[in-house]
Amino acid sequence: MRGEANSVSVVLKKPHKSARKPKGDGHMRRGEILAAAEKIFIAEGYAGATIRKIADAVGVSSTALYMHFRDKDQILMEISNDAIERLLALNTEIAAQPVDPVAGVRLMLEAYMTFALENPNTYQLVFCSTGDHISQDKIADTLALGDRCFEKFSEPVHAIAAQGRLRSGTAHAAAEVLWSGCHGLVSLLITKPSRGWSDPDELMKVMLDGLLYGLVTD
Amino acid sequence: MRGEANSVSVVLKKPHKSARKPKGDGHMRRGEILAAAEKIFIAEGYAGATIRKIADAVGVSSTALYMHFRDKDQILMEISNDAIERLLALNTEIAAQPVDPVAGVRLMLEAYMTFALENPNTYQLVFCSTGDHISQDKIADTLALGDRCFEKFSEPVHAIAAQGRLRSGTAHAAAEVLWSGCHGLVSLLITKPSRGWSDPDELMKVMLDGLLYGLVTD
DNA sequence: GCGGCTGGGTGATTCCCGTTTAGTGTCAGG
DNA sequence: CCTGACACTAAACGGGAATCACCCAGCCGC
């Protein structure tokens, strides 16, 4: 009904001059899309990174993105995976250091919170999304990476428990509480930046000091 | 804001037989919409509670909602306000009790987390939304109510600080850490329900014990 | 040469969403 | 019996994600 333009279509342009993009053979176009999508996602978040905007940035029709990716979530997932893998590598590196497990826990949580504040949109996608507007199973790989990060983090907590230094509760519960406490802090800093927060570094320190002192004995 | 129904509340009944819905005189239709929207919002969350679904449930055209509300966010905001006002009332009640401020803090945080788990969608709307798909200024009233809850909660924390019982940091920072720690726990329980969590009650207890022991001296 | 396959690319289309516009039917008051 | 206000509606708009039927260049075996 809106497309009756063809009846009068004097505009029949000959596709003779190919104004379209040269074919990005194979995986090169894929990389272009990811790069453009990452820029937009970082700048404007999940809702702001629309298929059309990404396609425009690459200089290609929106449909073309479906040549390389199943859907929008897959694009964002691949971007986020790169970021989370960095976090996992950080945790693995810390876990390999022969330090006191409490120090290891602290280092990991500090790295975690720093990561969150430096990659707020990725962080929200992985750790704050509710499956409401983002289907969880579509970004299952990313969520699985998040799980592996938590498991890596659990190791030193279990080591603390094995030393009998847990004031109360199981190692599992302690790990969850430590993680979720830090998660709460950074997620609020990210989602409510306009509130009159104290200095983030001080908040992180108070959170870590408080939780570790409260949960672990010397 | 909700109380303009007092103008006269004419109880006109019109037993008419038109195909369309009888006119919901004045503010009666408004209440119907809110009730239907609340049911859908609780069941399906922000994205699931679409204008059209709400209108269908009421038995009215989607456009009719705009007679009574500025936009979708205003509907959800009024629903959430009712819930958050209950939380604020709880906090006010606790603050009025002549108990030790540490006990008051614990009671408030317990009430807060229980509220979150019982009203997950409202909780996310107020405390997890990022302004990405929900414009923060549209639900400004709701956010302001959330702020007042935090201020109410800050009172006993400042009392603790005034007693010199804070292990470190300012009262402001301590209040933010206590709040955000509990927020992190319930927000993860809500958004990642499928993870293998420990018992929520135990987690809440470990969080409160840990933070209070870690931050406050006897 | 040449037909046909393949795969990146496209515009049109579909189906939602929130919201707007231009009305329509029904009343109360003059 | 008007008239105007009001509750309400159908239709449409613009913008999202995703799908469809194509198009066309390059390359293959012949």
Side-chain angles (χ1 to χ4, degrees), chain B residues 188-207:
Chain B
L188 282 177
L189 285 172
I190 289 171
T191 59
K192 310 285 177 220
S194 61
R195 189 183 285 266
W197 292 104
S198 307
D199 175 47
D201 286 335
E202 192 204 345
L203 288 172
M204 285 166 50
K205 185 177 184 316
V206 173
M207 175 68 78

Side-chain angles (χ1 to χ4, degrees), chain A residues 19-83:
Chain A
R20 70 203 261 169
K21 258 211 140 172
K23 295 185 130 180
D25 13 5
H27 315 82
M28 173 218 165
R29 177 74 77 245
R30 200 168 202 278
E32 277 182 52
I33 294 170
L34 282 174
E38 179 167 23
K39 212 172 296 178
I40 298 177
F41 175 60
I42 289 174
E44 311 190 40
Y46 180 86
T50 68
I51 290 280
R52 284 155 152 90
K53 262 195 247 179
I54 296 169
D56 278 1
V58 179
V60 105
S61 80
S62 60
T63 322
L65 301 202
Y66 292 90
M67 301 287 102
H68 306 279
F69 302 91
R70 201 182 336 110
D71 53 26
K72 170 181 171 174
D73 285 341
Q74 205 203 343
I75 301 177
L76 279 321
M77 188 182 81
E78 297 212 5
I79 291 171
S80 301
N81 282 3
D82 285 354

